[in-house]
Amino acid sequence: MPSARLLTPEEKLADAKKLLSLPRIVVICGSTRFMAEMAEADLRETEAGRIVVKPGCDMKSPHSLWSDPAEAEELKVRLDALHRAKIRLADEVLVVGDYIGDSTRAEIAYARSLGRPVRFTHPQVDPDA
């Protein structure tokens, strides 16, 4: 009797999303200089019936949570890991803005390595175009 192939965690997540009848999940990526554009993209994606996850902290704006440089660096590492988790959760990525920095470029590469489709509000900035 052939043994059943075990599902990968990604396959289990995809099955769970189907069983829960979840809409597509979109993660917004981009420089935090585009936070206003991210909010607009969130609105449009939500109106289109998609679940949206996006950066929750703009470390370029002053805040007591990252006022200490050492704590800020540690927080950035944690936020980067959290955003990669959001990319793993998502069905697709939407890159916002007309500029791609090193962090966003790494997020795009990570998403594509996972087979996630990547859309751009400004397709001309696609590093692989």
Side-chain angles (χ1 to χ4, degrees):
M1 185 167 163
S3 63
R5 183 180 69 80
L6 294 176
L7 296 178
T8 66
E10 293 81 9
E11 291 167 329
K12 289 178 183 178
L13 178 59
D15 285 351
K17 287 177 182 178
K18 285 179 193 161
L19 289 170
L20 292 168
S21 300
L22 291 180
R24 284 186 68 78
I25 300 172
V26 177
V27 62
I28 295 177
C29 294
S31 170
T32 55
R33 73 175 72 168
F34 300 117
M35 290 301 271
E37 291 88 342
M38 288 182 189
E40 179 66 21
D42 185 348
L43 176 70
R44 294 185 181 281
E45 294 294 314
T46 299
E47 188 277 329
R50 293 182 274 275
I51 295 172
V52 178
V53 291
K54 65 183 195 290
C57 296
D58 175 6
M59 292 185 67
K60 291 183 176 95
S61 297
H63 195 284
S64 61
L65 286 175
W66 48 84
S67 59
D68 175 83
E71 290 177 13
E73 191 54 40
E74 181 183 311
L75 177 60
K76 175 149 180 30
V77 170
R78 290 194 337 258
L79 292 175
D80 288 347
L82 180 61
H83 203 67
R84 284 190 302 276
K86 292 175 184 180
I87 292 169
R88 289 191 304 276
L89 174 69
D91 299 303
E92 62 181 305
V93 173
L94 175 60
V95 179
V96 172
D98 60 0
Y99 161 81
I100 303 292
D102 291 340
S103 293
T104 303
R105 188 178 315 278
E107 292 166 357
I108 293 166
Y110 183 65
R112 287 180 166 154
S113 78
L114 298 174
R116 301 297 185 274
V118 180
R119 293 186 284 130
F120 293 81
T121 58
H122 294 77
Q124 70 274 15
V125 299
D126 181 348
D128 294 331

